[in-house]
Each structure stands twice: as structure tokens, then as C-alpha cells.
Amino acid sequence: MTTLINLAARLTGKAARIRMGAIGAWPGQIPLLLWLLEKDGVIQKELVERANMEQSTVAEHLERLERAGFVYRKQGADDRRKYRFYLTEKARAATHDLIDMLDSGARTFTAGIPKGDIVVFDRVIRQIIARLEDYVQKAGRTAKPAVEKGAPRRALVKPRRSG
């Protein structure tokens, strides 16, 4: 099952790259654009939490979106260390196209599948996602760091065998 989920995710990503090329964005940026469309002017930390992505990934996506003219940042009035991100007019127009692309993609990729099967799939995949999120959250709390504080890093490197 995990192999099928991974294959579906990879193929969905490829299809999204093909479709999104028209608006000049990347598939990984979709959640950020949609969250900003829903609530403009959020800080990066909130986007990380809402999109369920790593902080460094969100930072990279935001930099690319900014270079592409889709978002701009403003220094926060309450805390000048935090920046708030906003969609540009170009992004607003593109996100409406994006929503249309997502809808048409969903219709294309599910064409010929009975509606009842789609309803069951939706329920099951949401259950799988919830269980995975729970597992990852619990594992994150109990995981031990690869290197103990103060331990020499060379201890992780296996010595070479001679001969």
C-alpha cells in the first residue's frame, strides 16, 4: 500500500508540474499559495504549521515565490523580527487559475471511477493521513538525537578497514 501511495504522490507531482508550468509556480508551492489566498499576511511559522512542511522548505518556497513576483514580505509592526507574507495581484490572478487547474485535474484523474469509490477513497486516505501524522508526531517526541550534546562527531564515522 505504501508503494502505491508513493507512486500516486510522485505521479500527482509530475502532473502538477506539467499543469503549473502555465502559471510559473511549483507544485510544492500550492499549499502556500492557497493558505495565503485564504488568509493573507501570515508569518512564516504559521505557514510551516498550516502546510505541514519543514521550515527550510517553506523558506525556500517563499524566496522563489518572492523572486517570481507572487508574494512580498512586510516587516511586522508588532515584532520587527517577523515578516508577514502577502500575495501580489499577479499571484491572486494565478491562484484562481491554480484552483481551476486543481479542479480540472481532479476530474481528469478520477474520470470513470464511480462516485461511491471516490467517497470511500477520500475517507480511507484521510484516515491513513491522520494515523501517519499521529505516528510522526509521537515518534518526533520520543526520537533520540543522532549525536548526543557534547559527543564528538567522529564517533558516528565507522573506521576504515585496512587491507
Side-chain angles (χ1 to χ4, degrees):
M1 183 179 296
T2 56
T3 302
L4 293 174
I5 291 170
N6 284 327
L7 177 58
R10 282 194 313 275
L11 289 171
T12 301
K14 286 180 181 181
R17 279 190 293 281
I18 291 166
R19 291 172 159 282
M20 292 189 66
I23 63 171
W26 291 89
Q29 297 166 343
I30 293 171
L32 302 179
L33 291 169
L34 294 177
W35 283 120
L36 287 170
L37 185 63
E38 185 178 298
K39 183 182 176 190
D40 219 6
V42 297
I43 60 172
Q44 185 173 322
K45 181 179 179 181
E46 186 174 347
L47 287 170
V48 166
E49 291 167 1
R50 292 179 125 205
N52 196 17
M53 292 182 189
E54 295 293 326
Q55 187 278 330
S56 59
T57 303
V58 170
E60 185 178 325
H61 283 318
L62 288 170
E63 286 178 26
R64 286 181 177 168
L65 287 166
E66 195 170 23
R67 281 194 308 265
F70 287 114
V71 300
Y72 65 94
R73 65 180 81 202
K74 281 176 60 176
Q75 202 168 31
D78 53 333
D79 186 345
R80 299 184 61 75
R81 295 171 296 172
K82 294 181 182 173
Y83 287 86
R84 298 198 170 272
F85 291 87
Y86 299 87
L87 292 178
T88 63
E89 288 307 313
K90 173 184 175 180
R92 289 191 183 286
T95 52
H96 293 295
D97 291 340
L98 170 63
I99 290 169
D100 290 343
M101 282 182 211
L102 292 172
D103 287 341
S104 99
R107 284 190 305 275
T108 299
F109 307 140
T110 59
I113 300 173
K115 185 171 176 63
D117 290 354
I118 298 296
V119 170
V120 170
F121 173 77
D122 185 78
R123 186 179 72 244
V124 170
I125 198 72
R126 288 176 189 276
Q127 290 172 353
I128 290 171
I129 290 167
R131 285 175 177 83
L132 286 168
E133 287 175 336
D134 187 50
Y135 172 81
V136 168
Q137 185 182 29
K138 285 178 183 172
R141 283 184 288 191
T142 60
K144 294 186 181 189
V147 178
E148 296 293 327
K149 283 193 173 200
R153 295 205 41 91
R154 68 181 179 277
L156 294 176
V157 178
K158 292 182 180 178
R160 287 187 178 170
R161 297 177 100 186
S162 59

